[in-house]
Amino acid sequence: MLVKVFASAISGINATTVVIEAQASRGAKFMLVGLPDTVVKESHQRVVTAIKQSGYPYPVMRYVINMAPADIKKEGAAYDLPLAIAILASTEVIPADRLGSTLIMGELSLDGSIQPVQGVLPMAMTARKEGFESIIVPADNAREAAIVDGLRVYGATCLADVVAFFSGEGDRLSLYPHDCAVLDDRTLFSLLNFAEVKGQAAVKRAMEIAAAGMHNMIMVGPPGSGKSMMAKRLPTILPPFAPDEALETTMIHSVAGTLPADTALMRERPFRSPHHSTSNVAMVGGGSYPKPGEISLAHNGVLFLDELPEFGRNVLEVLRQPLEDRTITISRAKMTTTFPASFMLVASMNPCPCGHYNNPQKACRCTPHQVTSYLNRISGPLLDRIDLQVEIVPVPFDALADTTPTESSSVIRERVRAAREIQRERFKDYPHIYSNAQMPPALIKDFVRVDKAGLDRLRVAMDRFALSARAYDRILKVSRTIADLSGSTDVTAAHIGEAVGYRKLDRESWGQFG
């Protein structure tokens, strides 16, 4: 008897339906074809043992199983459950009439219990798109799949329950209702707050602008000046997700296997802080069958690179293209995969090897050549892509000892949220554009109207600092965000002046450190 069971394969953050065709006939052989990887090939032993341990017969026969389409690689143990159902249906242990409307995925233990798998959310979205009525997934993944409306989601804990479901022996599978996963405005970073930051008003202002427009930012200052402390508090002022942002971000973490078990839909924007020993593959993603890297895991959130010059040159240079295109394409001999990578880069660094160049409180021990060489570890093209470049000086004692309350994260976050709402309304007709930093050059002329005084000020800055055309566009984007924070429709000379003031570390002006 030939039966068909439907499963799913992940490519990037998208899923493709896989048809598992199984036929049992006289003989004594097991043949699995359709480009399975080693883990899938090993599933034979897991599946046979799980079937027997669950109390079902496994007759000695010739089994031929095809996984179509054959040109897509099938990897991982998530095919265990659909393979087991296909075998049982081919030997008529269970009827095959209900298999055509259900997509099945899950890993089997030897005792027949079902373990969680990765990538369930894109699988469920593809199942709904292709007209499946229901999906059976491990119980630990069911809440994640239940985000998708218009699809019956069943959570399974063991093979016996799935067999009983298809045999009509009672509803032993749990039906999970649609989880609308309301996104609220509450911040979940209660232990971190900008109210704890003493002094550094200029840096806090720059962070507010960065959060409001999703602009890249770098902080340069001596050790102990508060660079890392403020960067870790940046998520507390980021605006809540738009629904599309939350869904896309959750899909990435679902595929990568980094979605917490008790999380159906991500509510907090990601904050990724890889160590400076990170490889370029770990940063951009990759592998024989590509998985998301740090820049994709930071999608719609923050990628924080502490001690930027300590990262490998190759690691930093691979960031240049994603910072422009907001996607990363990974090509391998067998496939090409594109991951989203629209992140906000926040970096920090010391101004010299000893860390005290330009420190009013402590003398620098480095030579001018050492200072210049250290700073030149950051290439000009990479620096040109960073919108806000801020110098930090140590906080004086009087500011540290001051007990006067400062602005809390919730107050700053409300201003940021209001500015983002303006931007969402501005770009409502442009898919996947939610902030000013994501605005392509073609839209700048439409949405950034600068008065004559502002253009004159920008012209002087371009000539004086020898800024690039890219810097010109980024200054206009930052100016638009500053205007949004102030509630201004037009961009004025004051907005341009503040944006230009954040271009302190451009390549042509780095000689000031040497």
Side-chain angles (χ1 to χ4, degrees):
M1 179 179 180
L2 176 65
V3 299
K4 293 183 179 181
V5 175
F6 296 92
S8 195
I10 296 294
S11 177
I13 62 169
N14 299 308
T16 302
T17 298
V18 173
V19 181
I20 298 178
E21 301 172 313
Q23 184 176 38
S25 58
R26 291 182 179 181
K29 192 173 184 180
F30 186 92
M31 297 177 61
L32 181 61
V33 297
L35 206 60
D37 72 351
T38 302
V39 177
V40 179
K41 291 177 181 177
E42 291 175 347
S43 65
H44 176 217
Q45 300 302 323
R46 292 193 301 272
V47 169
V48 171
T49 305
I51 289 175
K52 293 178 178 179
Q53 289 293 321
S54 300
Y56 301 105
Y58 183 81
V60 178
M61 301 184 73
R62 182 177 184 268
Y63 297 93
V64 179
I65 300 177
N66 178 45
M67 307 177 76
D71 60 339
I72 295 178
K73 187 73 173 180
K74 291 79 179 179
E75 57 177 334
Y79 296 100
D80 290 357
L81 181 58
L83 285 172
I85 296 300
I87 290 172
L88 291 172
S90 69
T91 55
E92 301 183 358
V93 174
I94 59 176
D97 55 342
R98 298 179 62 184
L99 298 177
S101 61
T102 304
L103 190 141
I104 310 169
M105 292 298 283
E107 176 184 346
L108 286 175
S109 295
L110 296 183
D111 62 357
S113 60
I114 300 175
Q115 304 301 317
V117 298
Q118 299 176 5
V120 166
L121 180 55
M123 293 175 189
M125 294 182 67
T126 299
R128 180 188 63 181
K129 181 180 178 181
E130 297 189 359
F132 286 92
E133 296 178 0
S134 57
I135 182 172
I136 297 176
V137 296
D140 290 342
N141 298 122
R143 285 191 59 210
E144 179 185 339
I147 294 174
V148 181
D149 195 11
L151 187 70
R152 291 199 299 271
V153 177
Y154 294 96
T157 58
C158 66
L159 175 61
D161 290 346
V162 180
V163 173
F165 172 80
F166 286 114
S167 300
E169 298 175 1
D171 296 330
R172 292 166 59 177
L173 297 182
S174 299
L175 177 62
Y176 283 72
H178 170 56
D179 185 354
C180 59
V182 177
L183 297 170
D184 53 37
D185 288 347
R186 61 192 172 92
T187 178
L188 304 178
F189 298 87
S190 58
L191 298 180
L192 300 175
N193 200 304
F194 266 103
E196 302 159 358
V197 180
K198 303 294 185 179
Q200 306 294 13
V203 186
K204 290 173 69 174
R205 167 64 175 173
M207 285 200 156
E208 180 179 339
I209 295 170
M214 202 177 174
H215 299 290
N216 303 321
M217 179 179 179
I218 186 171
M219 297 173 284
V220 182
S225 55
K227 303 186 295 296
S228 300
M229 176 188 181
M230 286 184 283
K232 291 176 181 178
R233 282 156 179 74
L234 182 59
T236 67
I237 64 172
L238 291 176
F241 274 128
D244 289 349
E245 288 181 302
L247 191 61
E248 190 174 41
T249 305
T250 304
M251 287 173 63
I252 295 171
H253 287 262
S254 174
V255 169
T258 58
L259 190 67
D262 59 344
T263 301
L265 187 70
M266 292 186 65
R267 302 171 188 270
E268 303 174 27
R269 291 182 180 270
F271 181 85
R272 305 292 298 184
S273 181
H275 190 261
H276 58 74
S277 61
T278 297
S279 68
N280 57 351
V281 174
M283 185 67 75
V284 303
S288 300
Y289 301 95
K291 295 292 185 181
E294 290 291 339
I295 62 174
S296 294
L297 295 174
H299 182 65
N300 290 324
V302 178
L303 177 66
F304 176 49
L305 303 183
D306 201 6
E307 302 298 340
L308 189 66
E310 302 303 326
F311 283 81
R313 182 77 176 219
N314 291 340
V315 176
L316 296 181
E317 293 308 300
V318 297
L319 295 176
R320 287 162 54 177
Q321 179 263 329
L323 285 172
E324 286 293 319
D325 299 340
R326 299 193 176 275
T327 60
I328 180 68
T329 299
I330 302 170
S331 296
R332 296 291 182 265
K334 298 178 181 179
M335 65 174 63
T336 297
T337 304
T338 298
F339 293 109
S342 183
F343 59 93
M344 182 168 66
L345 175 64
V346 177
S348 68
M349 60 181 287
N350 296 328
C352 67
C354 78
H356 296 290
Y357 183 83
N358 213 25
N359 186 346
Q361 299 178 357
K362 196 168 184 178
C364 176
R365 303 190 302 271
C366 306
T367 65
H369 175 71
Q370 288 175 318
V371 175
T372 303
S373 298
Y374 183 77
L375 294 174
N376 282 341
R377 295 181 186 179
I378 314 302
S379 70
L382 177 61
L383 188 65
D384 206 31
R385 289 166 167 80
I386 300 179
D387 310 311
L388 305 171
Q389 306 159 359
V390 185
E391 290 184 84
I392 301 180
V393 296
V395 181
F397 175 80
D398 291 343
L400 288 174
D402 188 4
T403 57
T404 304
T406 60
E407 274 193 325
S408 67
S409 293
S410 60
V411 174
I412 302 173
R413 190 172 189 253
E414 280 304 306
R415 293 197 297 266
V416 169
R417 185 191 59 78
R420 281 289 186 98
E421 287 298 325
I422 294 173
Q423 294 166 49
R424 285 174 185 165
E425 179 64 23
R426 175 181 300 138
F427 303 120
K428 63 182 180 181
D429 296 328
Y430 300 92
H432 306 297
I433 300 179
Y434 306 100
S435 63
N436 289 330
Q438 297 172 323
M439 180 168 41
L443 297 182
I444 293 178
K445 65 181 188 311
D446 296 329
F447 295 121
V448 186
R449 297 186 295 272
V450 187
D451 59 21
K452 184 178 183 303
L455 287 175
D456 291 340
R457 179 168 291 188
L458 182 55
R459 182 181 298 108
V460 171
M462 294 290 294
D463 293 339
R464 178 177 299 175
F465 301 115
L467 299 177
S468 67
R470 181 183 289 111
Y472 171 84
D473 284 350
R474 290 181 178 270
I475 288 172
L476 290 178
K477 293 179 184 181
V478 173
S479 301
R480 179 67 270 173
T481 300
I482 296 172
D484 290 341
L485 284 168
S486 63
S488 175
T489 303
D490 295 326
V491 176
T492 67
H495 303 144
I496 292 288
E498 184 176 1
V500 169
Y502 293 120
R503 302 293 304 189
K504 294 183 179 180
L505 306 180
D506 277 305
R507 185 68 176 179
E508 295 298 326
S509 60
W510 267 24
Q512 64 181 312
F513 291 99

